[in-house]
Amino acid sequence: ERGLRLPGKARLDDQIGAQGVLAATERIGDARHESARQLLGLWYATRQAGLEAALWRKQADLYREQQRIVATRVKRGDAARLDQLQADATLAQALSQAAAASAREQAALAELKARFPELPSPDDSLARPMAPKGDQAAWLEHALEHNHELLMAQRALEHARLRTRRAEANRMPDPILGLRLANEQGGNDRIIGISLSIPLPGEARRSQARAHLAQAEALAEMEAATRRRLAAEAAANWQRAAAGVESWQRLDEAAQAMARHADLARRAMELGELGLTETLLVQRNALESQLAAGQARLAANEAIARLMLDGHQLWSQGNGDEH
């Protein structure tokens, strides 16, 4: 006996199989995309930690030089012993902060190397953030057009709809063709028989079709919810990228002004025209301004890279791409 599929069922089965292959391909693309997101996060976390460590080391060198100047002035009697203690304490605090920042940098670098061992370590290059070209609508279209998670949801929805159609078609049972061979009377009579049987459909097939329909409706709602969520994420990414560039520009201008102020304060202290407490406060403000500007620059570049990555404008994510 052999079942024979009615016309149309074989075509639906082929389409169901093809959709399954496409869904698996989208899952591979989504996994690669998530790996790329992890790379961006770890890379910029390492850069942030490295920036903080470098600034604290630079600040410690400045405090060490001030400590030497204060010690010389104390020996000449031009400064009080209290200034020497304050300079020593400030240098010790800066060295402690530098050591803690270096430890965070090494931890972030170790995590990056553990997950992506073949990549080189980040360098100290300073990339100037550039505002993304195009408006929010264009980047939203890019993000939704190439998003593997959304495509995966669409493939799953189409797969469920095909299975629903297949279950509806299966309400008409497939016929079964049989062939019977027999020998009787010691082989004198040979009987060849052909049978055709058609099972009677029952409530089970109808219930199975309704179950597939309900599953397809649920996946349609999930696909719509995924689209709305990804659209909101894309809009937020564009806003962070656009606002991050402007924020960095303002903070960079402030950091440059504070750096000039700190240089003047340090010269004034060397000439005895400004006290140590005021000089340390100015230098601490300059350090915080430089740190804020550097963090804003890295945050803007990360937001731009994330926007380009989600729009498939940063790295190729094509099928069979090995790079």
Side-chain angles (χ1 to χ4, degrees), residues 87-106:
D88 294 342
T90 303
L91 176 60
Q93 183 182 14
L95 291 174
S96 176
Q97 293 285 357
S102 297
R104 290 191 294 269
E105 179 186 15
Q106 292 301 319

Side-chain angles (χ1 to χ4, degrees), residues 201-261:
E203 185 64 27
R205 294 175 184 265
R206 188 178 297 108
S207 299
Q208 187 178 16
R210 288 198 298 265
H212 282 290
L213 178 60
Q215 184 180 10
E217 292 176 350
L219 288 174
E221 293 294 332
M222 291 178 60
E223 189 268 345
T226 302
R227 179 181 293 273
R228 290 192 296 269
R229 176 175 58 82
L230 293 175
E233 290 180 1
N237 288 338
W238 189 87
Q239 290 292 342
R240 281 193 293 266
V245 176
E246 183 178 0
S247 176
W248 164 75
Q249 291 174 345
R250 300 295 178 265
L251 289 173
D252 186 62
E253 293 173 358
Q256 293 178 11
M258 289 300 299
R260 292 192 295 268
H261 188 195

